[in-house]
Amino acid sequence: MIVELNTENKTLTIQQEITFFNQSNDTLTSIVLNDWNNAYSDKNTPLAKRFSDEFYRGFHLAKEEERGSTNNLTIIDANQLFASCKRTQKNPDYIEVQLREKLLPNQKTTLHLTYITKIPSDKFTKYGYNDKGEMNLKNWFLTPARYDNHTFIRNSNNNLDDIANAVCDFDIELKTPETIEITTDLNSTGPNKLGNFTNYKLQGSNRTDFSLFAEPKSSFISYKNNTNEVLTNLKENKISTIEKAIVINRVMDYVSTLIGVYPHEKIIVSQTDYERNPFYGLNQLPSFLSPFTDEFIFEIKFLKTYLNAYLKTSLRLDSRKDNWIYDGIQVYAMMKYIDENHPDAKMFGSVSKLRLLKSYNLTNLSFNEQYSYFYMLMARKNLDQPLGNPKNSLIKFNEQIASKYRAGLSFRYLDDYLEHDEVNNSIRQFYIENKEKQVSRTDFERILQSNADKDINWFFKTIIGSREIIDYKFTDVSKTKDSITFSVKNKTNVSVPVPVYGVKKGEIVFKKWLDANETDSTFTIERKNADKIVLNYNNEVPEYNLRNNWKSLKGFYPTNRPIKFNFMKDLEDPYYNQILYVPTLTYNLYDGFSPGLRLHNKTILDKPFIFDINPAYSSKTNNLTGSAAFSVNQNYRNSTLYNVRYSVSGSYFHYAPDAAYLKINPSVQLRIREENLRDNRKQLIMFRQVLVNREKSALVIDNSTENYSVFDAKYINTRTEVTNHFNFTSDLQLSGKFGKVATEFEYRKLFENNFQINLRLYAGSFLYNRTASDFFSFALDRPTDYLFDYNYYGRSENSGFFSQQFILAEGGFKSKLNTPFANQWITTLNGSFNIWNWMEVYSDIGLIKNRTQDARFVYDSGIRLNLVTDYFELYFPIYSNNGWEIGQKNYNEKIRFVVTFSPKTLINLFNRKWF
């Protein structure tokens, strides 16, 4: 390639010659070229859709000049004729070049290309240019796609760093402005100054990709050992260059010994690569606590990023299809490194030494134990995915964290089971074989099986190829002074090896592996003074439930778990029944500020049974208030109906200054998710019986209904992303005095011109209505909330500040009209569109029908300040059935507001991109 960099226009002008050598046994009629930079060209590419799926708005809202593209492309074939090529609208990030003559095995052909690459802003993926004049150039040129299994791999850019390039030799002449310095892991000669420009010659052999950084002043520092040179700009200014050199040399020697000698002279370990794939775990505590030394933080960051660069630039795997091998080797190597160099390190570093936190299981975990809990977080949510799945099919938390960690744990599991370094030897053998040819999962599996002296088919079938749950437990355990007799039950019929430990005062006194076909049998082994027998003590096996894995060999009750109280939150501790306590503070107008104490068992991992009790003291009424909930979760692993929750909840608060309500709510919820977990469509079916007991109030006008019971059946179908949101809800309510049915449609669309429209249609009708009041009627602007579902701060207020609280429900009107209720049927349409950033214009129209009255047409309109959706919003009515509201008296009383004090609402805005 002959390349000229224009830093002002953020472009690369390229003349390129590709000599393609057909090393397959197939005759080729076309060649596929990867053009991943063109994935930034518009808002409809697979990359743009990926951003939308993960709720990233930045790409859709970006300016045109911030996007990347490939322009003015011409391709000349070996006959000096224009080559025919096609790039589809659906997949604009690869090109298929048609050959005029068939390319036979072991033959070569040459293509000549000219084109201009427009570099994107780095704010989308951290690749591209920034406002400091720096460029991190990634996938900026056209290169032949990997040919495998009789076809070219046609992968689109999904921001996963998994481009499938053919192995190439590179020869590049690069021309840059004289103010720019180049850093690359290719072999380079230069710089050679020529006028206002600088020329470089870059070369590399047997590579699938390379790194290239262009900066006004290079931020990289070079470190060399006997075999390789490391160029790094990892940010850690608190340790000296010499300390960094010692760490870097130690990591390089360790990786070379464990895996093999790196085949290239230079390797780049960049801050960008670390930020794209940070070490999740180090970021869990605020920096002012300083749980780890600066040297340790640099060491872990460098180790993770170095391993990632080392494997991705030297292994010739299909990174999308066989990504579990990359992840497995990387995390396995990191765990072994910690074992060898920091065996006493804890998950929370020096925080674990604080006496105040000694009782927490979270702070007592060793550094390497955290990997299992990150994986189990998803397994307990029933959202884990098979390790062997393609990388682009994984939801973000699995792709970035859970599946990576489980892959490393699986390698460690296999290594512990085989016991004689067969996994280490297989990794080294695979790495050597990789240098000679293009490899795949099949090659790695063949090497592992040939080195193992035991049957390991279970490893590939169950651990890699499925998401089956593993769960073992002891059944019969008896003991004598010298021996232990026990049986192990396989609760899920998923057969894999499991270790049995004897433990005395926290020290391991024996360990025995039970093979996959040995469970559900009875064993007798020497006791060796053990006081506890434990399955999977060191958590080698990715087991779903550890709470049934041990039996005490002393005392009368071998499975008794003492109760342990912890403040705030903790990880699940298999040896205790944990009760967590948290001070709470709630508020409503009638109870005032209500301090309370929440008692629950919600550890970080989801549990089958959850209780949550929160008594509180009402400062205004001097009475006890609060809420409680008990629920049982049942997960279904092989069904789109993935979760059923049975629950009973209750609450007792004041709904008026002189009256309280008691609500009891037994319910069943059925949660449905698509087979493709990346699909954002979710469905919920709920059945509940709401029983309400209301004390009589002398201050509330409508006091006709005090005690009642309502059966409620609800169905919700929603699919949401940045550019499109759809939600459908149907609701059936039956009671002795009324029956009603309602449906709701919500639709939001963000157009290419960044114009956004929001539409909501609500329609409801009574099946029968034997009530005289409007307590159960449909409401235009403020539902009575007889089911006590909404978080009203002053639910009985008809005037004043608290009556202005807005909750989008039923009619969804913002103006208060003279006929606010409908006791027969209602139909409304709510719409809004943005006019500038978070400022929107809204309008509502509808028809309401009351008995003995004609249907009435209603409308309103105004301005919405959508500051934080569902968290803080303001509505300013302008025109409605009331006339020009903005000019009427007491306009400030017409303004509606949405204010939510629940942190869970804000957390959900963050969580949705991960799950």
Side-chain angles (χ1 to χ4, degrees):
M1 285 188 285
I2 299 174
V3 183
E4 182 174 341
L5 172 63
N6 186 320
T7 54
E8 184 176 345
N9 295 332
K10 315 295 188 300
T11 60
L12 296 160
T13 303
I14 302 169
Q15 299 178 46
Q16 183 174 354
E17 179 181 291
I18 298 175
T19 300
F20 188 90
F21 181 20
N22 182 8
Q23 294 176 301
S24 73
N25 296 320
D26 302 328
T27 298
L28 304 180
T29 59
S30 64
I31 296 172
V32 174
L33 303 178
N34 285 323
D35 184 15
W36 274 24
N37 188 71
N38 203 54
Y40 299 89
S41 58
D42 65 53
K43 302 178 183 182
N44 298 302
T45 66
L47 178 64
K49 292 175 182 176
R50 184 88 175 190
F51 286 141
S52 182
D53 285 346
E54 294 181 352
F55 301 96
Y56 172 63
R57 294 172 59 93
F59 186 77
H60 195 94
L61 300 176
K63 301 173 183 176
E64 192 61 34
E65 58 267 24
E66 294 176 318
R67 305 189 190 284
S69 58
T70 301
N71 303 305
N72 304 333
L73 173 64
T74 61
I75 303 177
I76 307 295
D77 63 17
N79 299 317
Q80 302 300 310
L81 299 173
F82 286 104
S84 173
C85 62
K86 63 179 180 180
R87 183 205 303 271
T88 65
Q89 187 173 1
K90 181 180 178 182
N91 300 107
D93 40 18
Y94 58 78
I95 300 167
E96 185 168 0
V97 182
Q98 300 297 322
L99 301 177
R100 294 179 186 274
E101 298 176 0
K102 293 180 179 180
L103 187 63
L104 301 177
N106 296 314
Q107 284 190 344
K108 297 181 180 180
T109 189
T110 300
L111 300 174
H112 300 271
L113 299 81
T114 60
Y115 53 97
I116 298 174
T117 293
K118 170 68 175 66
I119 303 301
S121 167
D122 71 350
K123 69 181 184 180
F124 310 130
T125 64
K126 300 187 185 299
Y127 295 139
Y129 71 86
N130 62 23
D131 55 8
K132 297 177 183 178
E134 301 166 340
M135 287 188 180
N136 180 353
L137 301 175
K138 191 75 171 178
N139 303 325
W140 50 274
F141 57 92
L142 276 67
T143 187
R146 177 188 176 105
Y147 191 81
D148 195 10
N149 197 24
H150 311 295
T151 186
F152 284 99
I153 295 177
R154 294 168 167 83
N155 286 345
S156 287
N157 185 352
N158 290 142
N159 190 28
L160 297 172
D161 284 341
D162 60 352
I163 191 168
N165 287 335
V167 177
C168 296
D169 295 338
F170 294 98
D171 192 346
I172 302 170
E173 293 182 20
L174 176 62
K175 181 180 179 181
T176 71
E178 62 175 350
T179 55
I180 294 296
E181 295 183 6
I182 294 297
T183 305
T184 180
D185 53 354
L186 293 178
N187 300 324
S188 61
T189 57
N192 297 314
K193 300 285 186 179
L194 186 63
N196 296 327
F197 297 94
T198 304
N199 292 331
Y200 298 84
K201 287 193 174 182
L202 313 177
Q203 290 182 320
S205 300
N206 295 319
R207 306 182 67 108
T208 56
D209 203 359
F210 61 87
S211 297
L212 182 62
F213 293 81
E215 304 169 283
K217 180 175 177 57
S218 178
S219 60
F220 288 84
I221 299 174
S222 172
Y223 297 87
K224 295 182 180 180
N225 67 2
N226 296 329
T227 55
N228 301 107
E229 177 185 7
V230 170
L231 298 162
T232 182
N233 65 347
L234 279 181
K235 296 176 182 177
E236 189 52 65
N237 300 323
K238 296 180 181 179
I239 66 173
S240 68
T241 303
I242 294 176
E243 289 174 313
K244 288 182 181 179
I246 293 171
V247 168
I248 290 170
N249 189 65
R250 182 162 63 237
V251 169
M252 292 174 69
D253 288 345
Y254 167 79
V255 174
S256 294
T257 302
L258 181 70
I259 301 174
V261 178
Y262 187 66
H264 309 300
E265 292 183 15
K266 295 191 289 185
I267 184 171
I268 286 184
V269 180
S270 70
Q271 180 67 23
T272 297
D273 289 341
Y274 177 75
E275 289 173 357
R276 283 182 56 84
N277 291 283
F279 184 83
Y280 293 97
L282 290 180
N283 305 323
Q284 293 168 334
L285 288 178
S287 58
F288 68 83
L289 288 177
S290 299
F292 300 99
T293 65
D294 297 324
E295 183 178 356
F296 182 80
I297 291 175
F298 177 79
E299 190 171 3
I300 293 300
K301 289 168 65 175
F302 181 81
L303 173 65
K304 186 179 192 301
T305 315
Y306 178 80
L307 279 166
N308 185 62
Y310 178 99
L311 295 170
K312 287 294 178 70
T313 54
S314 59
L315 280 185
R316 305 181 185 185
L317 287 164
D318 180 350
S319 299
R320 180 161 295 179
K321 186 172 68 173
D322 298 327
N323 191 67
W324 65 272
I325 299 177
Y326 285 108
D327 291 341
I329 295 175
Q330 182 192 47
V331 177
Y332 172 74
M334 292 179 66
M335 296 177 76
K336 289 187 73 68
Y337 182 89
I338 292 294
D339 285 339
E340 293 179 18
N341 294 280
H342 304 281
D344 299 323
K346 297 291 187 180
M347 177 179 176
F348 279 118
S350 60
V351 172
S352 305
K353 298 178 182 178
L354 298 177
R355 293 185 61 184
L356 186 65
L357 303 177
K358 280 288 186 181
S359 64
Y360 285 84
N361 189 36
L362 189 67
T363 59
N364 289 318
L365 289 183
S366 70
F367 193 86
N368 281 337
E369 284 183 286
Q370 64 184 299
Y371 297 107
S372 177
Y373 281 94
F374 276 112
Y375 153 67
M376 195 53 64
L377 182 71
M378 296 303 282
R380 292 285 187 89
K381 291 181 180 295
N382 203 10
L383 293 176
D384 56 309
Q385 295 171 274
L387 292 180
N389 277 15
K391 191 175 183 180
N392 65 327
S393 70
L394 303 179
I395 57 180
K396 187 170 183 177
F397 195 94
N398 287 333
E399 181 261 316
Q400 292 265 308
I401 306 174
S403 292
K404 282 180 181 290
Y405 290 176
R406 190 189 173 189
L409 289 165
S410 300
F411 278 43
R412 188 182 180 92
Y413 173 23
L414 184 63
D415 184 57
D416 284 342
Y417 172 66
L418 296 177
E419 298 180 309
H420 301 297
D421 282 338
E422 284 94 336
V423 172
N424 291 6
N425 296 334
S426 297
I427 290 173
R428 283 193 290 269
Q429 186 177 334
F430 178 69
Y431 196 73
I432 292 171
E433 190 173 296
N434 162 78
K435 293 181 181 180
E436 307 299 326
K437 66 171 186 175
Q438 185 171 274
V439 291
S440 67
R441 165 184 177 158
T442 308
D443 300 300
F444 187 61
E445 292 180 0
R446 170 179 49 79
I447 292 171
L448 273 174
Q449 287 179 321
S450 66
N451 287 335
D453 57 1
K454 302 178 184 178
D455 178 20
I456 59 170
N457 284 324
W458 55 268
F459 179 77
F460 303 108
K461 180 182 177 182
T462 303
I463 303 300
I464 304 300
S466 80
R467 59 189 295 265
E468 297 287 348
I469 284 178
I470 301 165
D471 191 10
Y472 288 102
K473 65 175 287 188
F474 286 115
T475 50
D476 301 320
V477 176
S478 61
K479 64 185 185 296
T480 67
K481 183 177 180 181
D482 300 317
S483 66
I484 309 167
T485 301
F486 62 89
S487 298
V488 175
K489 179 177 177 58
N490 183 347
K491 293 185 66 179
T492 58
N493 296 320
V494 178
S495 296
V496 298
V498 63
V500 179
Y501 288 85
V503 179
K504 181 181 180 181
K505 296 181 180 178
E507 298 292 328
I508 297 171
V509 295
F510 69 78
K511 176 183 178 182
K512 175 181 173 59
W513 276 97
L514 306 182
D515 285 330
N517 58 358
E518 288 187 308
T519 55
D520 295 323
S521 302
T522 301
F523 304 88
T524 300
I525 57 178
E526 186 180 354
R527 180 171 176 174
K528 296 184 179 180
N529 296 319
D531 56 31
K532 188 184 295 181
I533 184 171
V534 187
L535 287 167
N536 196 20
Y537 181 69
N538 284 331
N539 212 0
E540 298 99 328
V541 185
E543 200 175 1
Y544 189 77
N545 181 19
L546 298 176
R547 290 175 60 80
N548 55 11
N549 277 26
W550 64 281
K551 293 279 187 177
S552 174
L553 300 178
K554 59 182 181 180
F556 186 72
Y557 297 103
T559 59
N560 182 47
R561 294 186 183 88
I563 293 176
K564 182 169 73 170
F565 288 89
N566 282 123
F567 178 64
M568 290 293 289
K569 207 76 168 175
D570 196 8
L571 272 180
E572 183 175 283
D573 191 331
Y575 304 113
Y576 292 90
N577 287 315
Q578 294 159 288
I579 296 179
L580 306 171
Y581 60 95
V582 186
T584 60
L585 183 66
T586 58
Y587 175 81
N588 70 59
L589 181 61
Y590 315 115
D591 287 307
F593 287 101
S594 302
L597 184 67
R598 179 183 172 212
L599 302 170
H600 66 95
N601 69 335
K602 291 182 181 178
T603 55
I604 293 173
L605 302 182
D606 288 357
K607 288 183 175 181
F609 172 72
I610 295 291
F611 68 84
D612 195 332
I613 304 170
N614 188 9
Y617 174 74
S618 170
S619 61
K620 274 197 172 181
T621 65
N622 297 323
N623 288 325
L624 194 66
T625 61
S627 61
F630 304 87
S631 62
V632 175
N633 279 301
Q634 186 172 355
N635 288 334
Y636 295 90
R637 301 286 293 178
N638 301 307
S639 170
T640 53
L641 172 62
Y642 77 101
N643 174 265
V644 177
R645 174 177 292 183
Y646 308 90
S647 64
V648 176
S649 63
S651 57
Y652 179 79
F653 293 100
H654 285 80
Y655 75 94
D658 61 340
Y661 72 90
L662 172 66
K663 171 187 172 181
I664 306 295
N665 180 26
S667 68
V668 179
Q669 296 182 19
L670 293 81
R671 299 178 185 273
I672 300 169
R673 189 156 182 168
E674 298 301 303
E675 187 174 344
N676 172 17
L677 294 186
R678 282 205 59 87
D679 193 324
N680 286 336
R681 182 178 300 280
K682 299 178 181 68
Q683 298 177 70
L684 171 70
I685 301 171
M686 181 177 68
F687 303 98
R688 62 174 178 164
Q689 190 76 33
V690 182
L691 298 96
V692 177
N693 184 314
R694 292 201 311 159
E695 295 176 354
K696 193 156 187 164
S697 170
L699 303 175
V700 176
I701 297 174
D702 184 357
N703 233 347
S704 58
T705 306
E706 295 159 18
N707 305 321
Y708 50 90
S709 174
V710 180
F711 170 76
D712 184 21
K714 185 173 290 186
Y715 169 71
I716 301 173
N717 187 326
T718 182
R719 188 178 189 279
T720 186
E721 58 186 68
V722 163
T723 56
N724 281 288
H725 167 81
F726 169 80
N727 181 78
F728 168 75
T729 302
S730 62
D731 190 23
L732 171 67
Q733 296 178 16
L734 300 174
S735 181
K737 294 185 177 181
F738 74 92
K740 64 200 297 191
V741 63
T743 58
E744 179 184 331
F745 296 87
E746 286 183 294
Y747 178 72
R748 184 187 68 240
K749 173 69 174 177
L750 179 61
F751 295 94
E752 288 196 33
N753 61 0
N754 296 334
F755 174 84
Q756 179 170 299
I757 188 170
N758 303 275
L759 297 174
R760 176 180 177 269
L761 175 66
Y762 181 84
S765 176
F766 276 93
L767 304 175
Y768 56 92
N769 187 357
R770 306 187 187 105
T771 63
S773 74
D774 280 321
F775 187 67
F776 297 111
S777 295
F778 295 106
L780 263 185
D781 73 284
R782 185 176 166 86
T784 56
D785 190 27
Y786 51 86
L787 297 181
F788 292 92
D789 287 337
Y790 307 133
N791 186 26
Y792 278 124
Y793 301 121
R795 62 177 59 250
S796 297
E797 300 302 294
N798 294 315
S799 61
F801 176 75
F802 286 96
S803 72
Q804 295 170 232
Q805 181 184 0
F806 175 74
I807 292 176
L808 182 60
E810 298 191 6
F813 270 54
K814 291 78 184 177
S815 294
K816 298 179 180 180
L817 305 184
N818 293 330
T819 310
F821 296 107
N823 59 26
Q824 193 166 347
W825 56 260
I826 184 174
T827 302
T828 62
L829 176 65
N830 316 122
S832 67
F833 62 88
N834 62 310
I835 54 177
W836 179 75
N837 286 347
W838 32 262
M839 184 179 293
E840 300 177 5
V841 171
Y842 74 81
S843 181
D844 308 310
I845 59 172
L847 288 169
I848 59 173
K849 177 68 170 68
N850 284 286
R851 289 177 303 218
T852 72
Q853 296 180 12
D854 294 333
R856 183 175 178 227
F857 177 70
V858 288
Y859 60 91
D860 72 358
S861 61
I863 299 292
R864 174 193 185 194
L865 300 186
N866 186 12
L867 302 174
V868 181
T869 303
D870 298 328
Y871 210 79
F872 183 41
E873 305 174 18
L874 294 173
Y875 293 86
F876 296 87
I878 294 179
Y879 190 74
S880 70
N881 291 83
N882 297 330
W884 287 99
E885 299 199 45
I886 197 168
Q888 296 175 3
K889 292 181 179 180
N890 301 321
Y891 179 74
N892 61 307
E893 297 180 7
K894 298 176 181 290
I895 299 171
R896 306 296 295 274
F897 65 89
V898 174
V899 175
T900 305
F901 293 116
S902 169
K904 186 177 179 180
T905 304
L906 200 57
I907 290 171
N908 286 340
L909 296 177
F910 169 78
N911 283 348
R912 60 185 183 177
K913 70 178 181 181
W914 289 96
F915 303 112

